[in-house]
Amino acid sequence: MKKKIVIANWKMNHDFYETTSFLRDLLKIFFDKKINYKKKVIIAPSFPFLQISNQILQGTSLNVAAQNVHQMENGPYTGEVSASMLRSIGIKQVILGHSERKKYFSETNDILLKKIHISLKYGLNIIFCVGETFFERKRKEQFIVVKNQLEETVFQCTSEKISNFIIAYEPIWAIGTGETATPEQVQKMHKYIRTLFLDKYGEKISKKIHILYGGSINDTNARNIFSKEDIDGGLVGNSSLQIEKFLKILLS
Ligand code: PGA
């Protein structure tokens, strides 16, 4: 059976002290309680703390991901961080396509495709987010919206590169709102996404690809969500910021 993946997307939260103490406490609990969490854990802290996070988690089964990367190799892009910079400090994964980046930083599918190419060039694995808005779902357009997002980005890649992707279905209306999609709604979309991978890349890849859900996952709804056949884990924002809640999600 595929190991589920839980990703903590800390967004613009946790300073140096909070980041390092969270990770040290988490490792201590893992070690002391000898709990088998049965899930692959990835933590996505802010840029300044990627390196220290990587150092703290070195030699453990936990991994670190960046929350973003710039689409250009290098150059006059004040304030930005390149894929080669991330690789130079040992980062191997990056989150791309998050709806907050689209909303607040005007990221389009064109930009995302460039980000995909540069990430793959430098050997970064990609956690790629897709999802519809509230109005798109109201108009029953969620499937076509997600299909278009994938076709303009991830599906531009050859099958050799697809093993570098994790897909995260994040309906925008459920992110940070406390409103979760029902496990049935999520299962339906994940099954649909898997069919798209089947049509494009064949059975082996469609079965292997991890499709995570993100949007107001918490310690009470995680078990139900993770119990569905096509839900291979979660991308967790708010509820990953407190260690107790996060641990409960890992045990779900
Ligand atoms: P949330 O965020 O769990 O706070 O809804 C999820 C995400 O944006 O990845």
Side-chain angles (χ1 to χ4, degrees), residues 132-134 137-138 140 142-143 146 169-171 173-174 179-193 211 213 215 224-225 228 230-231:
E132 80 284 359
T133 63
F134 175 75
R137 181 164 277 266
K138 254 194 132 182
K140 300 192 183 354
Q142 65 269 29
F143 295 107
V146 166
Y169 169 55
E170 297 211 310
W173 48 274
E179 188 165 345
T180 335
T182 65
E184 291 69 30
Q185 284 173 321
V186 182
Q187 166 59 26
K188 214 167 159 189
M189 177 59 83
H190 282 214
K191 202 176 167 130
Y192 174 71
I193 293 173
I211 307 173
Y213 167 72
N224 249 341
I225 293 168
K228 294 289 176 196
D230 286 294
I231 304 177

Side-chain angles (χ1 to χ4, degrees), residues 7-11 42-45 65-69 93-98 101 107 112 115 119 125-129 168 170 235:
I7 303 171
N9 178 14
W10 284 351
K11 310 188 181 184
I42 300 173
I43 309 282
Q67 295 176 18
N68 182 31
V69 70
Q93 326 198 52
V94 62
I95 299 173
L96 293 181
H98 195 284
R101 302 258 353 139
E107 280 190 4
L112 285 171
K115 291 190 178 207
S119 300
N125 289 330
I126 298 166
I127 299 143
F128 195 84
C129 307
E170 297 211 310
L235 181 52

Side-chain angles (χ1 to χ4, degrees), residues 9 11 98 100 170 174-177 214-217 235-239:
N9 178 14
K11 310 188 181 184
H98 195 284
E100 286 156 11
E170 297 211 310
I175 297 175
T177 58
S216 300
I217 294 184
L235 181 52
V236 189
N238 258 324
S239 295

Side-chain angles (χ1 to χ4, degrees), residues 54-214:
N54 223 13
Q55 278 165 12
I56 292 171
L57 298 182
Q58 202 155 36
T60 73
S61 59
L62 285 79
N63 286 290
V64 176
Q67 295 176 18
N68 182 31
V69 70
H70 196 261
Q71 63 270 29
M72 303 303 282
E73 294 262 354
N74 54 17
Y77 304 102
T78 302
E80 293 296 330
V81 173
S82 72
S84 70
M85 288 171 186
L86 293 177
R87 277 315 301 255
S88 73
I89 55 163
I91 299 302
K92 299 195 184 86
Q93 326 198 52
V94 62
I95 299 173
L96 293 181
H98 195 284
S99 59
E100 286 156 11
R101 302 258 353 139
K102 289 181 178 162
K103 183 174 174 193
Y104 301 118
F105 303 97
S106 310
E107 280 190 4
T108 60
N109 286 343
D110 281 351
I111 293 173
L112 285 171
L113 187 57
K114 291 191 179 122
K115 291 190 178 207
I116 286 175
H117 286 320
I118 200 95
S119 300
L120 293 174
K121 178 173 175 186
Y122 285 93
L124 289 167
N125 289 330
I126 298 166
I127 299 143
F128 195 84
C129 307
V130 292
E132 80 284 359
T133 63
F134 175 75
F135 291 108
E136 287 162 344
R137 181 164 277 266
K138 254 194 132 182
R139 292 196 298 262
K140 300 192 183 354
E141 292 170 0
Q142 65 269 29
F143 295 107
I144 189 72
V145 164
V146 166
K147 183 174 188 231
N148 287 342
Q149 287 172 352
L150 285 170
E151 274 177 352
E152 289 177 15
T153 55
V154 180
F155 287 177
Q156 298 293 315
C157 299
T158 59
S159 53
E160 293 77 57
K161 296 289 180 197
I162 290 299
S163 59
N164 297 82
F165 283 90
I166 291 170
I167 304 299
Y169 169 55
E170 297 211 310
I172 296 165
W173 48 274
I175 297 175
T177 58
E179 188 165 345
T180 335
T182 65
E184 291 69 30
Q185 284 173 321
V186 182
Q187 166 59 26
K188 214 167 159 189
M189 177 59 83
H190 282 214
K191 202 176 167 130
Y192 174 71
I193 293 173
R194 212 176 287 289
T195 312
L196 294 177
F197 274 88
L198 177 72
D199 294 345
K200 173 92 184 149
Y201 298 106
E203 195 180 352
K204 201 168 159 203
I205 286 175
S206 80
K207 279 191 173 153
K208 229 174 129 191
I209 189 119
H210 276 85
I211 307 173
L212 314 187
Y213 167 72

